[in-house]
Amino acid sequence: TFDKHYSYVSDAILVPNSPFLITSSNDGQILKWNYKTGEFICTIIDNTAGIYCISLDDGYLLAPSDNNHIYVFDIENNAQIAEYHVEDDIDGEAIFSKYNDVILVPTTDGKILQYDFSPLYKVIQSIKNIMGDYELSSEELIMHHLNN
């Protein structure tokens, strides 16, 4: 039993090729678990607005919230790497396209909004390619890129 949220669990995702489960809730939390042992690993975000769904692609977690923000996390490092304010009400799951370097967000008025994710994504990927899989946070990776 995974019992740490204090409101209903809105979504749960297994991280491919790992023992991790990510859960989101109307309580505003995104939590990381070891689903094999049931061990709670960490709180990825503790937000005031509810998180109503999450999606995972290429190690990046997208989390639309009730306050019309899209949060982007590096799931390996448990670090928030971007935040987008959406002018319209979000309606469903945000989608990250690594091939087009965009985040697509459906809205309640029938639009699909597009946000450019390429600069940050490319910086992180290029540093990881140079440095390998060292245990660095996204902030450390960006600082390394800016200083070199």
Side-chain angles (χ1 to χ4, degrees):
T1 302
F2 304 96
D3 186 16
K4 194 153 177 73
H5 288 290
Y6 54 89
S7 185
Y8 70 89
V9 174
S10 56
D11 210 347
I13 294 179
L14 291 172
V15 179
N17 303 314
S18 81
F20 300 122
L21 168 70
I22 309 297
T23 59
S24 65
S25 173
N26 192 49
D27 62 15
Q29 294 182 356
I30 297 176
L31 306 178
K32 186 175 186 180
W33 310 83
N34 181 320
Y35 72 85
K36 291 183 177 182
T37 66
E39 173 191 10
F40 169 72
I41 305 293
C42 68
T43 300
I44 296 173
I45 188 173
D46 192 355
N47 192 8
T48 56
I51 305 292
Y52 49 83
C53 64
I54 50 180
S55 60
L56 182 67
D57 189 359
D58 198 33
Y60 295 97
L61 182 76
L62 301 178
S65 70
D66 289 342
N67 64 357
N68 287 341
H69 282 78
I70 302 287
Y71 300 97
V72 183
F73 301 93
D74 176 338
I75 203 63
E76 183 179 327
N77 295 306
N78 307 317
Q80 182 177 327
I81 57 172
E83 179 178 345
Y84 299 89
H85 176 72
V86 179
E87 295 298 325
D88 299 320
D89 289 335
I90 300 169
D91 184 28
E93 183 177 305
I95 301 166
F96 170 56
S97 171
K98 66 182 172 185
Y99 302 107
N100 298 318
D101 298 325
V102 296
I103 294 173
L104 302 173
V105 182
T107 65
T108 56
D109 62 357
K111 293 188 261 182
I112 302 289
L113 303 178
Q114 178 175 308
Y115 294 89
D116 183 20
F117 188 60
S118 58
L120 182 60
Y121 177 74
K122 287 179 180 174
V123 166
I124 291 171
Q125 288 305 310
S126 67
I127 294 169
K128 282 185 176 181
N129 290 339
I130 293 167
M131 300 185 69
D133 289 329
Y134 293 104
E135 292 295 323
L136 294 176
S137 69
S138 298
E139 292 83 7
E140 289 171 317
L141 289 171
I142 291 168
M143 292 307 298
H144 173 79
H145 176 74
L146 294 174
N147 292 329
N148 290 318

